Each structure stands twice: as C-alpha cells, then as structure tokens.
Amino acid sequence: MWLAMWSVGYAMARRREEQQTARRLIQERAVAGERARIARELHDLVGHTVNLMLMQAGAGRRVLDKDPAKARGLLSDLERAGRDALTELDRVLGVLRSDDPDGDRPADASGVATLPDLAQRMSQAGLRVTVQVGAGLDLPRSLDLTAYRIVQESLTNALKHADASGADVTLRRDGQWLEVVIRDDGRGPVVGYRPGRGLLGIRERVALFEGTVTYGPAGRGGFQVHARLPLTSVTTAAEEPAR
C-alpha cells in the first residue's frame, strides 16, 4: 500500500514538473517569436524611412546653392517623410500591442491599398516606381501587411544598394496564391553577394505563411524579388504566434 501511494505521488510530481517545463518552453518560444516579429517590423519601418530621408537630404544638399526652390521642396518632402514615419511607427507599435490580430483594420494601416503612396515617396527620393495590382485582391490583414512590407523592403534595397532609376511592382492572384514581384533596373548583384537583413527578413515573413521566395539577377540587368504566398487558411496559422 505504501509503495503504491509513493508511486502515484511520484508519477504526479513528475507529470507536474513536465507540464511546467512544457509551459516554460512554450512561453520562451512565444517571447522569441514576438521579439522576432517586432524586430522585423521596426527594421522594415526604420530602415526604409531613414534611407528615404538620407536620399532626400543628400539631394537637397546638392542643389541647395544652385536651385534653392528645389531644395526647399526636397526639405518639405523630408519633413513629410519624418512625420509619416512617426505616424507609421505609432501604428506599428499599436498593432504589436494588440491582443486581437483579427480585429478591425485601422484607417491608416499600411497595406496593398497604400502602395501608390509608397511609390510616390520612392519617386520623390529618385526611384521611379510603377505599381500594378490585380483585381480581386481582398487580402486578410496579416497577408496584406506582409505583401506591403515585402514591396517596401525590396524598393528600399533598390534605392540604397542597386543604384536603380526605376522599379516595377506587380501583385496578382494565381489560383490560390498571391504573387508579389518587384524588379528594378539597377546594376544587379555582385558576384558572390550574400543576402542582408532585409532579404532575410523577407524570407522569414514568407516562411510564416509557408510560401516561397526567390531573389537574384533579373534578365539582362537589375534585381528581382518574387514571393508566392498562399491565399488559404495558412494565414490563420501565421497569426497564431501573435495570440
């Protein structure tokens, strides 16, 4: 009788210990996932905005003496970019704090609908951008933001690293897949190049949706990013870490 009671107590203690260990591991994974999500959002936002503002500041400095009117316009664009960045940063932090990732979309949220605004800002910084969005793209919130961030990071790389003068952005539906293609006319990757944090961040975003992404030289010149994201229930699974 005593041995049986000891065995039951020991088994229950071991089970409680295993449950506590499992809960701790789940919490650690959730914290790590949240940190990675915050890092991706802030990298995309801050990296894009700072590079854009640097380009505008450099252009204003070069024409300050020759064309003061143009310099004033560039400084106004620079101020507007800073204000937009603060608004976007507040929105991003609000989304990251949200306990309901499936809630209503804020009116000023980034997404496919705001790609023309992004293209205009990039054009003001010296990168002419054309955007083509296929019909019938009613995307879930997380997928909508992911597509926007992929385009944003790709255009930032084209402006900062590729010495490109123009880029084409295409979003279209291919069956149950969303295709996002960004192609610039820059000098293309150098031999032996290694993807930086921006491209690795794009790969992580796509992996959350169990999609695919390829990037590299585009034809005779330039660089291309091609992401395929499923328009299925996988999007729900991608939002689970936020919960």
Side-chain angles (χ1 to χ4, degrees):
M1 179 73 69
W2 176 86
L3 182 60
M5 292 176 63
W6 179 86
S7 299
V8 171
Y10 179 77
M12 293 179 64
R14 285 294 303 272
R15 184 176 181 182
R16 284 196 297 270
E17 182 180 355
E18 291 173 354
Q19 289 175 341
Q20 291 174 355
T21 301
R23 282 195 294 268
R24 186 173 65 254
L25 291 175
I26 291 174
Q27 291 172 351
E28 290 176 353
R29 284 197 296 267
V31 170
E34 187 68 8
R35 286 177 176 173
R37 190 163 69 100
I38 293 172
R40 282 194 302 269
E41 290 295 330
L42 293 182
H43 171 270
D44 290 351
L45 171 60
V46 176
H48 163 75
T49 303
V50 169
N51 279 291
L52 189 64
M53 294 174 71
L54 284 174
M55 293 294 179
Q56 292 172 332
R61 176 180 54 81
R62 287 191 294 270
V63 301
L64 182 60
D65 296 329
K66 299 178 181 179
D67 193 343
K70 185 175 182 180
R72 283 194 295 271
L74 289 169
L75 289 175
S76 297
D77 293 338
L78 181 62
E79 181 182 8
R80 189 179 306 110
R83 294 183 183 278
D84 291 344
L86 290 176
T87 301
E88 179 73 359
L89 181 60
D90 183 67
R91 187 202 65 78
V92 168
L93 293 177
V95 171
L96 291 174
R97 295 191 191 102
S98 175
D99 294 328
D100 182 14
D102 291 324
D104 294 335
R105 184 194 309 268
D108 59 344
S110 296
V112 171
T114 63
L115 284 178
D117 297 332
L118 174 63
Q120 182 179 8
R121 293 197 300 270
M122 299 303 294
S123 298
Q124 292 170 347
L127 181 68
R128 175 185 47 80
V129 178
T130 60
V131 177
Q132 294 183 351
V133 179
L137 286 183
D138 185 14
L139 304 177
R141 176 179 177 179
S142 59
L143 187 60
D144 191 32
L145 179 59
T146 293
Y148 177 88
R149 292 298 187 206
I150 291 173
V151 174
Q152 183 185 55
E153 182 60 34
S154 299
L155 294 178
T156 301
N157 287 341
L159 182 64
K160 181 180 178 182
H161 302 295
D163 194 25
S165 61
D168 297 322
V169 176
T170 304
L171 286 84
R172 58 177 177 267
R173 180 168 185 161
D174 181 15
Q176 292 302 311
W177 293 85
L178 170 66
E179 289 198 350
V180 183
V181 182
I182 306 95
R183 180 173 181 175
D184 65 58
D185 61 359
R187 59 176 178 266
V190 298
V191 178
Y193 90 102
R194 308 180 91 179
R197 285 190 296 269
L199 289 175
L200 293 178
I202 289 176
R203 184 187 298 173
E204 291 173 355
R205 287 181 180 277
V206 173
L208 284 174
F209 291 86
E210 298 184 10
T212 62
V213 61
T214 57
Y215 40 75
R220 298 180 179 178
F223 194 85
Q224 176 174 288
V225 176
H226 182 189
R228 283 173 56 85
L229 301 164
L231 295 169
T232 62
S233 58
V234 173
T235 57
T236 302
E239 291 174 344
E240 281 298 323
R243 296 191 178 93

